[in-house]
Amino acid sequence: MACIRCVAPFILFLTELSLGQRQVTIQKGPLFRAKGYPVSIGCNVTGHQGPSEQDFQWSVYLPPVPAQEIQIVSTKDATFSYAMYAPRVRRKEIYVQRVQGDSVFLHISELQMKDAGKYECHTPSTDERYYGSYSAKTDLIVIPDTLSATMMSQTLRKEKGEPLELTCEVSKATTQHTHLSVTWYLMQDGRGSEATDIISFSRDFMLIPGPLFTERFATGDVRLDRIGATSFRLSIASLQSSDQGQLFCEATEWIQDPDATWTFITKKRTNQTTLGVQSAGIEFQVNLTAESTFAEGTPLELLCLVVGSSRDQQPQLQGVWFFNDTEVARVGAGGTLSLKKDYQERASQGQLQVSKLSPKAFTLKIFSAGPEDEGTYRCEVTEMMRAQRGSWQALQRRRSLDSHVKLRKPAARHVDVSTKTKQQAVWEGEALTLLCRAGGTESPLSVSWWHIPQNQTQLEFVASMGQDGTMQLGASYRGPRNNANIRLEKVDWATFQLEITSTAVTDSGTYECRVSEKTRNQAGDRSWTQKISVAVKPLDSSLRVSLMSRQPQVKLTGTFDLSCVVTAGYSDLNVPLTVTWQFQPAESQVFHQLVRITYNGTIEWGELLSYFQRKMKVSCSSFYSQLLIHDATEEEAGVYQCEVQVYDRNSLCTNSPVKASATSHPLRIAVTLPESRLKVNSRNQVQEIPVSSNTEIDCSILSRSTGNFQLAIIWYYSPISTNASWLRILEMDQTNVIKYGDEFHTPKTKKKFHTEKVSQDLFQLHILNVDHSDQGRYHCTVEEWLLSTNGTWHKLGEEKSGPTELKLRPTGSKIGVSKVDSIENTTEHGEVALHCSLESLVGTASLFSVMWLWSRENSVNKLLVHLQHDGLLEYGEEGLRKHLHCYRSSPKDFVLKLHRVEMKDAGVYRCRVKEWQLLGSPSKWVSQESDESGQMVLTVLPSEPTFPSRICSSVPLLYFLFICPFVMLILLFISLLCLFWKARKLQTLSLNARKEKDLWVDMKELGDGISKRSGEEDGDEGS
């Protein structure tokens, strides 16, 4: 009970803990978001006590001071924010959105680079006691916005049914793994700012048509093709009237957060293309296309288009241009041109051109527009028909809407500096190309490049290019080497390219581009600057060399290869490499050079291990080298390694020193023996031949290893005796040298036994003049040997053949045993004698052995007793020794006598007689022919039963005699109990009768006394 009282509060305490543990979870990081874009971080709390609506406090730990907490915003305290975040919180640029009572989101509407850090979500306690976690943290990393989406702004006029193709250029330079999605939109007239998506290339690389373009996408009318890495082309095979409006392309960059959700981090839209689609078969209209503004000194082009068709498929049209409601130019139907006087002068000076581009297009182009060209333009098109007399007759006239063109005042330019590869880090020796692009209207520009080396503040002049294209280099870049290393080019009017063909680590730092422009109305030049930071990484910072082999354990005389794999972050630069293969023998502690492949293709062999050269093959390619060694021996076992040296790409011309080097890990190669495939015939064989004849014992090879392998054959012999050991007869080793065993080294045995190689897979042992001493078992042992290139023999395997038993065919006369079947009857417990007789005596020099066999129906023969030729008796079972007796009653008769015959002895008996003769020198008893008798059927009859046997043979009678006495005793005991009970009862009755009689006498005497006393009283009264 005391134990229960102690455990119960503990269980209750654990229950309270499991129910009241607070847990705060925040969105898993790190979260990568782009500068200038929003971010939302979720946080929720579970297992809390108190009100359902919990308060949340957000803080950040910035990288410069990771241990200092900076408070951002709180749902509980309006004054919670530190000074650096308070203005953004007041402007609602940073705020907390409550999703539920215990779940919120922190929103930052526009990220800044300084917002990167570790964000913490904290929930003030409302619990009775602190238990659980009250805050959680996640990492936010702010990366630059590198997404770009561009498309040329233009106005297109198409007829219904014509095709359309627009191309959008999209690129990014984010170092993280991100996906792009590109969507084409159509903003139709009359729908305000609502845009309809035409087709999208999703972040999962799938094409998804918009709801209004699904059927046209299925029929192939609308397509989106990706051309190269950055171009996305929209194709519409047959335009419809509903396609007109403003078309633009929108690119979105997506990143996958650690919780496997995709989030967009940047989004860009291109300029719009205005598309007009005119239905065919209606009266024509006139549209005037022109830029609404122009810069002084830039071209101004106006295009007058006839949309639709007139009654004539190829009408004769006349175009008239109006400027501020005054006709300035006319193009007749026959092509004649008439200009206003001042326009005629400008046209003669090449400043103006009026032309008819096609039957339905007229153009007015001013090559260098000025303030005098600012105003309202209109074009008028008249359909003409030639009359019979050759004059022109107007059929119908259409005017375009007025187009107001204004002179654009010079605006401030913006300059963008980037690398050509969009990467701000390059490898040492790699080319660095910087692009400086100026925005704004086209005009002559000049550029100058400056360099601030890393960890320095002073500017260094690199190069400059004037408006006329003259180039000038800085003082530190004028040397013979640097002059060829620096290139400054003008790509177009606004783009300048600075290229350092082979960078050095000292080229790291900040590069500044200054773009200058001369103006007509200002005294000085206007200039704009932009900077970019570039890092040149040393080559040895990422160089790694690994050595591997598919066969670290190679078979002797086999071939193995070693692969030296070079990995580096600049594997695509094709830098020159020198590879050196080194080897440390098994007994040595020093590495020696095997071979060296230089970057210019020279092969230098090592001098100490020159024997490798004739069995080694080496190959080398970019960032990979292979060493191949064939006919491997123990001398090639050891430790290998490769060393790689990296040079500058200009090393072939300048012989520059090593830029980086690395050595692989050592790799040990072990040389082992090959696995033997030797198999020898293992079947048992028997040969029976006459005495003094010759024979051959075969040793057959079933399979063997392929290659330069040799075989050694060893022949063994074992006499017939069961305990005899195997004796080595002779051996033919792998060099075909024959050696005899110790027991067979005499001239006689050498003459008697010899071996022969019959074929590649068959060897024979020849035995001449076979006698009885040669009887026994023979087998061969085959050994497989390999000779290595250094002259050493190696044993691979050993196989033993099956034994071949050699017997001599009997030379005596054939014996005969009586084949007469007989039947013998005997009674149980009696004796019987079975006889086995020879039909004739073979000879007096022969001895005989006899085996008695017994069987029942459908059973195998069982050996009862064996009378050997030397008179010894051998019983099949030890228990038969007292029951059976076998002897030879006469030279021709053998007797089997059975004592106390039992019923189970009934069955079929046979005898098998074998002749033995004394043969050989020294003489030995050798078995000859044998013969078997006919069947002797023994029937056992039961003996006459006696009275006791009858009783014992009857089970019911036996049970009766055993149980009846017990039953009689029980009945007798019950009878005695009954008699005893009756006697007791009679005694009790007799005693009771005596007591009643005595009582009766007493009562009678009492009654007589009373009667007498009453009579006396009556007499007294009468008297």
Side-chain angles (χ1 to χ4, degrees):
M1 292 296 294
C3 180
I4 295 175
R5 294 192 190 100
C6 295
V7 172
F10 180 71
I11 296 176
L12 181 60
F13 174 67
L14 292 180
T15 305
E16 293 176 357
L17 289 182
S18 63
L19 294 176
Q21 182 174 355
R22 177 183 289 255
Q23 182 68 37
V24 177
T25 57
I26 195 171
Q27 188 172 350
K28 187 177 180 182
L31 303 176
F32 292 89
R33 297 296 184 267
K35 174 186 176 183
Y37 288 84
V39 64
S40 299
I41 305 175
C43 178
N44 70 308
V45 58
T46 58
H48 59 82
Q49 299 177 353
S52 60
E53 184 170 298
Q54 296 287 304
D55 287 311
F56 293 81
Q57 296 175 347
W58 288 88
S59 304
V60 64
Y61 298 84
L62 300 179
V65 281
Q68 181 179 355
E69 178 186 5
I70 300 176
Q71 299 177 356
I72 303 176
V73 65
S74 170
T75 60
K76 181 179 180 181
D77 185 7
T79 63
F80 179 77
S81 306
Y82 278 10
M84 65 181 298
Y85 285 102
R88 297 171 68 183
V89 173
R90 286 194 299 269
R91 294 194 300 266
K92 297 298 182 180
E93 295 177 4
I94 300 178
Y95 63 97
V96 177
Q97 176 192 2
R98 185 179 295 276
V99 181
Q100 293 179 352
D102 55 2
S103 179
V104 298
F105 275 99
L106 171 66
H107 295 287
I108 303 177
S109 58
E110 185 175 354
L111 275 176
Q112 301 175 8
M113 295 300 293
K114 64 181 180 181
D115 291 334
K118 186 179 291 294
Y119 284 74
E120 180 183 38
C121 173
H122 176 74
T123 59
S125 175
T126 59
D127 307 331
E128 295 180 3
R129 60 175 178 271
Y130 278 86
Y131 183 67
S133 65
Y134 289 80
S135 65
K137 297 180 180 179
T138 189
D139 290 315
L140 175 64
I141 300 174
V142 182
I143 61 177
D145 176 16
T146 62
L147 183 63
S148 172
T150 59
M151 183 180 66
M152 183 179 64
S153 177
Q154 55 183 331
T155 301
L156 300 177
R157 300 296 178 183
K158 298 282 187 177
E159 289 188 358
K160 183 177 180 181
E162 289 185 352
L164 173 68
E165 287 187 357
L166 296 176
T167 302
C168 171
E169 296 290 332
V170 179
S171 63
K172 65 181 179 69
T174 310
T175 58
Q176 283 72 31
H177 176 71
T178 59
H179 286 189
L180 286 177
S181 65
V182 177
T183 305
W184 282 91
Y185 289 94
L186 170 63
M187 188 179 297
Q188 295 177 335
D189 298 333
R191 290 200 176 188
S193 60
E194 183 180 358
T196 303
D197 52 330
I198 302 173
I199 190 169
S200 301
F201 177 80
S202 71
R203 65 170 183 266
D204 299 323
F205 314 110
M206 297 177 61
L207 290 178
I208 304 174
L212 301 180
F213 293 85
T214 303
E215 295 182 3
R216 297 175 66 182
F217 172 80
T219 59
D221 187 35
V222 176
R223 292 179 54 189
L224 176 57
D225 298 317
R226 183 171 185 174
I227 305 172
T230 62
S231 299
F232 296 82
R233 184 175 65 193
L234 171 68
S235 300
I236 301 178
S238 179
L239 287 172
Q240 298 180 7
S241 301
S242 59
D243 296 334
Q244 65 181 358
Q246 286 73 39
L247 288 88
F248 61 93
C249 164
E250 182 180 81
T252 307
E253 188 175 9
W254 300 80
I255 194 168
Q256 191 174 29
D257 289 335
D259 60 359
T261 60
W262 286 93
T263 306
F264 90 92
I265 57 174
T266 58
K267 183 180 293 186
K268 293 290 175 64
R269 279 188 178 184
T270 64
N271 296 329
Q272 295 181 356
T273 293
T274 302
L275 174 65
V277 180
Q278 180 66 43
S279 301
I282 63 174
E283 295 293 333
F284 71 89
Q285 295 180 357
V286 178
N287 294 330
L288 178 60
T289 303
E291 294 288 341
S292 60
T293 61
F294 68 94
E296 184 179 359
T298 59
L300 174 62
E301 183 176 7
L302 298 95
L303 181 64
C304 183
L305 292 175
V306 177
V307 181
S309 62
S310 63
R311 292 178 293 273
D312 190 356
Q313 295 298 323
Q314 293 184 350
Q316 301 292 329
L317 300 178
Q318 172 186 276
V320 180
W321 289 97
F322 292 88
F323 175 63
N324 292 334
D325 293 331
T326 301
E327 180 180 335
V328 295
R330 177 187 296 267
V331 180
T336 58
L337 175 65
S338 60
L339 297 174
K340 189 180 177 182
K341 184 177 180 181
D342 55 343
Y343 275 73
Q344 188 174 1
E345 293 177 356
R346 296 176 66 180
S348 62
Q349 297 174 1
Q351 300 177 6
L352 182 143
Q353 181 182 4
V354 179
S355 62
K356 186 176 183 179
L357 298 179
S358 68
K360 296 183 180 182
F362 300 88
T363 179
L364 169 61
K365 185 172 184 180
I366 304 173
F367 295 100
S368 181
E372 66 275 10
D373 297 315
E374 182 179 12
T376 302
Y377 290 84
R378 183 177 70 251
C379 74
E380 180 183 274
V381 177
T382 305
E383 184 178 3
M384 308 294 290
M385 183 179 67
R386 189 178 290 275
Q388 294 180 356
R389 297 181 181 181
S391 61
W392 292 97
Q393 179 181 355
L395 297 180
Q396 55 178 331
R397 182 178 289 108
R398 296 287 186 272
R399 286 186 177 184
S400 68
L401 298 176
D402 291 344
S403 178
H404 303 282
V405 179
K406 295 182 179 181
L407 177 65
R408 185 168 60 249
K409 296 181 180 180
R413 298 183 183 274
H414 67 276
V415 177
D416 182 22
V417 180
S418 64
T419 62
K420 191 173 184 180
T421 60
K422 306 302 181 182
Q423 301 292 333
Q424 293 182 228
V426 296
W427 291 101
E428 181 182 5
E430 187 179 1
L432 173 63
T433 304
L434 300 175
L435 296 176
C436 182
R437 296 185 180 91
T441 58
E442 181 178 353
S443 64
L445 301 175
S446 60
V447 68
S448 62
W449 287 92
W450 300 80
H451 177 218
I452 306 175
Q454 198 168 11
N455 301 325
Q456 296 185 21
T457 57
Q458 187 175 358
L459 286 171
E460 291 183 0
F461 175 63
V462 180
S464 65
M465 179 179 288
Q467 294 183 0
D468 56 355
T470 58
M471 189 177 74
Q472 183 180 0
L473 295 178
S476 58
Y477 294 88
R478 293 176 188 172
R481 174 185 175 273
N482 292 329
N483 193 17
N485 199 30
I486 295 291
R487 295 179 183 175
L488 180 58
E489 298 178 359
K490 185 175 183 180
V491 180
D492 53 40
W493 73 269
T495 305
F496 300 89
Q497 176 177 294
L498 175 66
E499 181 180 6
I500 304 176
T501 57
S502 180
T503 57
V505 179
T506 56
D507 293 326
S508 299
T510 303
Y511 287 83
E512 180 181 292
C513 172
R514 295 180 183 177
V515 177
S516 302
E517 178 184 14
K518 289 185 178 181
T519 59
R520 298 178 183 178
N521 301 327
Q522 297 182 5
D525 295 347
R526 295 193 302 168
S527 63
W528 301 268
T529 63
Q530 188 59 269
K531 297 179 181 180
I532 186 173
S533 296
V534 176
V536 179
K537 298 179 288 184
L539 294 178
D540 57 357
S541 62
S542 71
L543 181 63
R544 301 291 183 271
V545 181
S546 59
L547 183 61
M548 62 188 69
S549 176
R550 291 176 296 178
Q551 307 101 356
Q553 288 190 348
V554 62
K555 303 299 182 182
L556 189 69
T557 72
T559 300
F560 68 94
D561 62 280
L562 300 168
S563 299
C564 182
V565 181
V566 183
T567 56
Y570 45 86
S571 58
D572 55 340
L573 297 184
N574 196 22
V575 295
L577 299 177
T578 293
V579 180
T580 304
W581 287 93
Q582 299 173 344
F583 172 66
Q584 176 185 327
E587 301 80 9
S588 175
Q589 300 295 326
V590 181
F591 279 94
H592 305 282
Q593 176 180 324
L594 290 178
V595 63
R596 186 170 184 262
I597 307 99
T598 63
Y599 59 84
N600 57 6
T602 304
I603 297 178
E604 301 173 1
W605 297 96
E607 297 180 358
L608 187 61
L609 304 173
S610 57
Y611 63 89
F612 269 89
Q613 184 173 351
R614 61 180 178 269
K615 56 169 28 181
M616 182 172 59
K617 181 181 179 181
V618 65
S619 61
C620 190
S621 61
S622 179
F623 289 87
Y624 178 79
S625 180
Q626 185 182 49
L627 181 68
L628 181 69
I629 298 178
H630 58 85
D631 290 337
T633 63
E634 297 91 340
E635 297 176 349
E636 284 78 58
V639 179
Y640 293 79
Q641 70 180 16
C642 67
E643 181 185 7
V644 176
Q645 296 174 330
V646 182
Y647 294 82
D648 188 79
R649 286 193 297 177
N650 299 323
S651 297
L652 296 175
C653 304
T654 61
N655 294 324
S656 63
V658 176
K659 295 294 184 181
S661 65
T663 304
S664 72
H665 62 278
L667 178 63
R668 183 174 297 278
I669 297 296
V671 180
T672 60
L673 295 177
E675 183 179 355
S676 176
R677 298 182 180 179
L678 179 65
K679 286 187 179 180
V680 181
N681 187 7
S682 60
R683 291 183 301 174
N684 297 344
Q685 301 181 37
V686 178
Q687 286 190 20
E688 189 173 6
I689 61 172
V691 180
S692 301
S693 61
N694 301 331
T695 187
E696 299 85 20
I697 308 297
D698 291 339
C699 182
S700 179
I701 310 299
L702 300 181
S703 65
R704 57 189 297 181
S705 303
T706 58
N708 188 22
F709 299 94
Q710 302 298 328
L711 299 180
I713 310 297
I714 307 174
W715 291 97
Y716 290 92
Y717 161 73
S718 174
I720 297 178
S721 174
T722 56
N723 297 325
S725 60
W726 289 95
L727 304 176
R728 188 164 66 96
I729 304 174
L730 61 86
E731 173 187 359
M732 183 174 67
D733 64 10
Q734 66 272 17
T735 61
N736 296 326
V737 176
I738 296 178
K739 302 175 184 178
Y740 282 84
D742 295 338
E743 293 82 2
F744 296 86
H745 210 273
T746 62
K748 180 180 178 181
T749 54
K750 287 184 178 181
K751 186 177 181 180
K752 188 179 188 67
F753 296 95
H754 70 274
T755 186
E756 178 187 7
K757 183 178 180 181
V758 180
S759 66
Q760 192 73 13
D761 298 326
L762 178 62
F763 296 83
Q764 288 183 341
L765 174 67
H766 293 271
I767 307 176
L768 306 180
N769 195 18
V770 178
D771 57 21
H772 292 283
S773 62
D774 299 326
Q775 292 187 108
R777 293 177 297 165
Y778 294 81
H779 82 268
C780 69
T781 298
V782 183
E783 297 175 348
E784 194 170 37
W785 293 79
L786 172 63
L787 179 63
S788 62
T789 54
N790 59 2
T792 304
W793 285 99
H794 301 274
K795 182 179 177 180
L796 303 184
E798 179 180 302
E799 287 287 332
K800 185 173 71 173
S801 69
T804 298
E805 185 176 356
L806 184 60
K807 296 181 179 180
L808 294 181
R809 189 175 296 123
T811 58
S813 304
K814 186 174 183 180
I815 65 173
V817 181
S818 176
K819 298 293 191 298
V820 178
D821 296 336
S822 61
I823 299 176
E824 295 288 340
N825 296 324
T826 184
T827 59
E828 189 178 8
H829 307 301
E831 293 184 353
V832 65
L834 303 176
H835 295 271
C836 179
S837 301
L838 299 175
E839 294 180 348
S840 62
L841 284 176
V842 177
T844 58
S846 299
L847 297 180
F848 297 94
S849 65
V850 62
M851 288 190 298
W852 286 94
L853 307 172
W854 170 84
S855 66
R856 290 185 184 272
E857 290 187 22
N858 301 326
S859 65
V860 297
N861 290 329
K862 178 182 178 183
L863 174 64
L864 298 178
V865 64
H866 180 199
L867 177 60
Q868 300 179 6
H869 66 278
D870 54 1
L872 294 177
L873 282 176
E874 181 183 358
Y875 289 90
E877 296 178 2
E878 189 62 29
L880 298 177
R881 186 180 296 276
K882 296 180 181 181
H883 188 54
L884 301 176
H885 181 56
C886 177
Y887 59 93
R888 186 176 183 182
S889 60
S890 66
K892 296 174 54 178
D893 294 326
F894 299 90
V895 180
L896 174 65
K897 193 170 185 179
L898 283 72
H899 303 286
R900 295 189 59 78
V901 177
E902 299 177 0
M903 298 298 294
K904 63 181 181 179
D905 294 330
V908 178
Y909 290 79
R910 295 182 180 85
C911 71
R912 184 178 298 160
V913 181
K914 182 181 292 186
E915 180 185 6
W916 295 76
Q917 290 184 352
L918 194 62
L919 300 173
S921 177
S923 300
K924 291 175 60 178
W925 286 100
V926 180
S927 63
Q928 302 293 324
E929 295 288 340
S930 63
D931 195 15
E932 190 172 303
S933 69
Q935 296 182 355
M936 290 170 273
V937 180
L938 176 62
T939 304
V940 181
L941 303 176
S943 59
E944 189 68 26
T946 60
F947 179 74
S949 65
R950 287 182 179 179
I951 293 176
C952 293
S953 62
S954 176
V955 177
L957 182 60
L958 184 63
Y959 285 166
F960 175 76
L961 294 177
F962 179 75
I963 297 174
C964 183
F966 290 99
V967 173
M968 296 299 293
L969 289 174
I970 292 171
L971 293 176
L972 179 61
F973 180 72
I974 295 173
S975 300
L976 291 175
L977 288 176
C978 291
L979 290 175
F980 177 75
W981 178 75
K982 285 187 178 241
R984 290 291 301 271
K985 188 176 183 183
L986 291 175
Q987 185 179 1
T988 304
L989 292 176
S990 172
L991 181 60
N992 293 335
R994 190 179 297 115
K995 287 182 178 180
E996 290 178 359
K997 184 178 180 180
D998 292 338
L999 180 62
W1000 175 256
V1001 172
D1002 292 338
M1003 292 294 294
K1004 187 177 180 183
E1005 289 178 355
L1006 179 60
D1008 290 343
I1010 294 172
S1011 301
K1012 184 178 179 179
R1013 189 177 298 130
S1014 176
E1016 290 178 355
E1017 290 177 355
D1018 292 339
D1020 291 336
E1021 290 178 357
S1023 62

